[in-house]
């Protein structure tokens, strides 16, 4: 079980801010911005590189949840949505997740 499956199953705690039958959103334990939320599908897809045509609707949904949470969290001056896929991207949990970052100016290019 990945750490995110354990959070979804409520085996370990997290600050969950949104949930439905397909996905859950909670605050990142190691925030990189004043707002740093992870949006995680309940169905395990290890990473974006492993997504298939079968995941099309789920992937679209994760982005729309990011949009909705950005509004709810008042990220009105902008926000960044990130998916790290694979070792060069710094992926550390092999369970697909979308990072939503905001409430500070974010540099570009990323490190
Ligand atoms: P990534 O590097 O893209 O795989 O991001 C994984 C993120 O997951 C990282 O920003 C830290 C976060 N994280 C890892 N373990 C936990 C945990 O137990 N609880 C919470 N809330 N976040 C976690």
């Amino acid at each position: 079980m990945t750490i995110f499956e354990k959070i979804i199953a409520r085996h370990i705690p997290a600050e969950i801010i949104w949930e439905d039958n397909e996905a859950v959103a909670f605050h990142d334990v190691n925030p990189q911005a004043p707002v740093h939320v992870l949006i995680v599908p309940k169905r395990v897809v290890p990473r974006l590189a492993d997504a298939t045509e079968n995941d099309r609707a789920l992937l679209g949904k994760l982005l729309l949840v990011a949009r909705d949470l950005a509004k709810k969290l008042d990220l009105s001056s902008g926000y960044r949505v990130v998916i790290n896929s694979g070792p060069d991207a710094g992926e550390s949990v092999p369970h697909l997740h979308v990072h939503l970052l905001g409430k500070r100016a974010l540099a570009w290019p990323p490190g």
Side-chain angles (χ1 to χ4, degrees), residues 3-4 7 12-14 26-30 36 38 84 90-93 97 99:
I3 198 93
F4 294 164
I7 287 172
I12 63 168
F26 50 86
H27 290 287
D28 194 293
V29 79
N30 182 24
H36 186 169
L38 301 174
N84 295 321
E91 174 202 302
S92 59
V93 180
H97 48 284
H99 297 255

Side-chain angles (χ1 to χ4, degrees), residues 48-94:
L48 187 60
D50 297 317
T52 69
E53 196 56 40
N54 192 38
D55 301 314
R56 179 179 289 271
L58 182 63
L59 292 172
K61 174 173 183 161
L62 297 176
L63 289 182
L64 292 176
V65 171
R67 175 204 63 184
D68 292 346
L69 290 175
K71 197 167 182 188
K72 184 174 165 187
L73 296 167
D74 191 31
L75 304 184
S76 50
S77 62
Y79 55 88
R80 185 168 295 165
V81 169
V82 173
I83 298 174
N84 295 321
S85 183
D88 275 2
E91 174 202 302
S92 59
V93 180

